[in-house]
């Protein structure tokens, strides 16, 4: 408090006092914000990096979606092949022809087996009947014609 208050009486004194105060405030702000340009440059660099990373994430998401779709398609194909293989195996076990194995319906092995049993009853293979007589012509040289004549005579007489 050694300084005494001095009243400002002229415009020049007022201007000098204000300039001193403005100069002190400017120095304080310059010290406080000395790294502003550095921070501004770093912010611009980070924004550019952020944009690049977002683009990279979008590309990765698109690839992931494609891979997920491919995987689900392949899993569906595998399931179809496994089901077809199971139908074929069950059809052959129950004596159903291979061509009819695709007609078996069901979601699991039990339902396909039940359908195969029903279809096997309808498609039961009958044992072939042996021919009653030999239908092949006999070619025995000179006696073949006589045997053929004799067989034809026996058939007409019956």
């Amino acid at each position: 408090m050694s300084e005494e208050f001095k009243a400002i009486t002229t415009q020049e004194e007022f201007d000098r006092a204000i300039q001193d105060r403005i100069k002190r405030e400017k120095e304080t702000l310059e010290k406080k914000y000395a790294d502003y340009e550095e921070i501004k440059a770093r912010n611009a660099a980070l924004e550019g990096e952020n944009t690049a990373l977002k683009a990279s994430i979008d590309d990765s998401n698109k690839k992931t979606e494609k891979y997920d779709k491919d995987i689900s398609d392949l899993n569906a194909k595998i399931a179809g092949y496994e089901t077809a293989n199971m139908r074929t195996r069950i059809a052959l076990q129950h004596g159903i022809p291979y061509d009819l194995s695709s007609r078996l319906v069901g979601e699991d092995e039990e339902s396909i087996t039940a359908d195969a049993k029903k279809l096997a009853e309808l498609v039961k293979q009958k044992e072939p009947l042996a021919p009653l007589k030999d239908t092949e012509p006999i070619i025995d040289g000179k006696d073949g014609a006589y045997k053929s004549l004799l067989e034809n005579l026996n058939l007409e007489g019956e």
Side-chain angles (χ1 to χ4, degrees), residues 82-135:
E82 288 174 348
T83 304
N85 184 23
M86 182 178 13
R87 285 182 182 150
T88 303
R89 180 178 47 83
I90 291 172
L92 294 177
Q93 285 175 351
H94 289 86
I96 298 172
Y98 175 77
D99 294 338
L100 294 178
S101 66
S102 63
R103 301 222 183 239
L104 296 177
V105 293
E107 294 297 320
D108 58 351
E109 190 168 355
E110 293 171 2
S111 61
I112 294 174
T113 303
D115 189 42
K117 287 178 182 176
K118 289 178 188 175
L119 187 60
E121 291 175 7
L122 297 174
V123 184
K124 210 177 250 184
Q125 292 182 355
K126 298 177 182 173
E127 291 186 26
L129 297 176
L132 299 176
K133 71 173 194 165
D134 191 13
T135 58

Side-chain angles (χ1 to χ4, degrees), residues 19-30:
Q19 283 180 348
D20 289 342
R21 177 68 182 127
I22 291 174
K23 185 178 179 182
R24 277 192 319 242
E25 188 63 29
K26 188 175 180 182
E27 288 173 0
T28 304
L29 289 175
E30 284 177 356

Side-chain angles (χ1 to χ4, degrees), residues 2-69:
S2 59
E3 289 184 31
E4 267 186 51
F5 178 72
K6 194 176 181 184
I8 300 175
T9 56
T10 65
Q11 183 65 37
E12 291 83 30
E13 287 177 355
F14 178 73
D15 288 344
R16 205 173 323 125
I18 293 295
Q19 283 180 348
D20 289 342
R21 177 68 182 127
I22 291 174
K23 185 178 179 182
R24 277 192 319 242
E25 188 63 29
K26 188 175 180 182
E27 288 173 0
T28 304
L29 289 175
E30 284 177 356
K31 284 181 186 177
K32 185 175 181 180
Y33 298 111
D35 59 349
Y36 176 74
E37 292 299 322
E38 180 182 320
I39 291 173
K40 189 176 177 182
R42 178 70 180 143
N43 188 26
L46 288 175
E47 285 179 356
E49 186 177 328
N50 190 13
T51 303
L53 289 174
K54 283 182 181 178
S56 176
I57 287 172
D58 289 341
D59 289 344
S60 295
N61 286 341
K62 287 178 185 175
K63 286 179 184 178
T64 302
E65 288 174 6
K66 181 186 176 293
Y67 292 144
D68 288 344
K69 182 182 179 291

